[in-house]
Amino acid sequence: MIANSPLALEMKLNILWQKKQNMNESLGKLLLRLGYGGLMITHGWPKLSKLIETGKFEFGDPIGVGPTLSLLLTIFAEFLCSILVVIGFKTRIAAIFPAITMVVAAFIVHGDDPFRRKEMAILYLIGFVAIALVGPGDYSLDKRGRKPF
């Protein structure tokens, strides 16, 4: 009798609604990770490729650690960390490094440039900070042990 009561039906509907909300939230987080991480990889890959091919790469030194270390840190953030974000592994930590790189790009490298020159870096910064705050969602390696894909 109780299983068919209006209260039981309402509880079932609430559970279904919550599952739908969780799925939508995880899909949104997946979209953020794939979009921002995937697009950032396209900035890191050419730097890594040129470094591998030539062994040399002229690169700026915006934070005073030397051009070689600046390049390696940028490749680490834009390529390796972005791959981690895309697959959802150590996502919150991995998203911090591209965000820091975008702070440097927007406010140091392009600090004196007009807004349109720093706009893309600021958009990436916002995206990676959002990913670091909200986490990877259910469709990630971080959550795989707890919930299957």
Side-chain angles (χ1 to χ4, degrees):
M1 289 280 182
I2 296 175
N4 293 326
S5 72
L7 182 61
L9 180 61
E10 183 178 347
M11 288 175 61
K12 288 178 184 177
L13 289 174
N14 283 338
I15 290 169
L16 289 174
W17 176 255
Q18 186 61 44
K19 285 182 180 181
K20 183 177 188 274
Q21 290 299 102
N22 290 345
M23 186 180 78
N24 287 343
E25 183 179 315
S26 285
L27 287 173
K29 291 175 181 182
L30 176 64
L31 182 62
L32 277 174
R33 288 192 355 257
L34 294 177
Y36 281 97
L39 288 171
M40 183 57 76
I41 290 169
T42 68
H43 291 276
W45 175 248
K47 294 174 180 82
L48 177 60
S49 295
K50 191 164 184 178
L51 180 64
I52 291 170
E53 288 173 13
T54 66
K56 296 179 184 177
F57 191 86
E58 287 189 31
F59 200 75
D61 184 21
I63 57 174
V65 296
T68 303
L69 185 55
S70 291
L71 173 61
L72 293 175
L73 289 171
T74 302
I75 291 170
F76 171 75
E78 291 183 357
F79 186 72
L80 181 63
C81 289
S82 293
I83 289 173
L84 295 176
V85 167
V86 165
I87 65 174
F89 184 71
K90 304 295 182 189
T91 308
R92 290 178 189 256
I93 295 167
I96 293 169
F97 295 99
I100 292 169
T101 302
M102 293 302 100
V103 166
V104 172
F107 302 111
I108 297 174
V109 175
H110 296 294
D112 293 332
D113 293 344
F115 179 75
R116 71 179 182 278
R117 290 282 295 149
K118 55 181 104 177
E119 181 178 9
M120 185 183 303
I122 293 169
L123 289 171
Y124 277 118
L125 169 63
I126 292 167
F128 281 105
V129 168
I131 291 167
L133 291 172
V134 301
D138 290 338
Y139 307 115
S140 65
L141 290 180
D142 287 339
K143 298 289 182 167
R144 183 162 179 155
R146 290 178 247 165
K147 287 187 177 179
F149 282 80

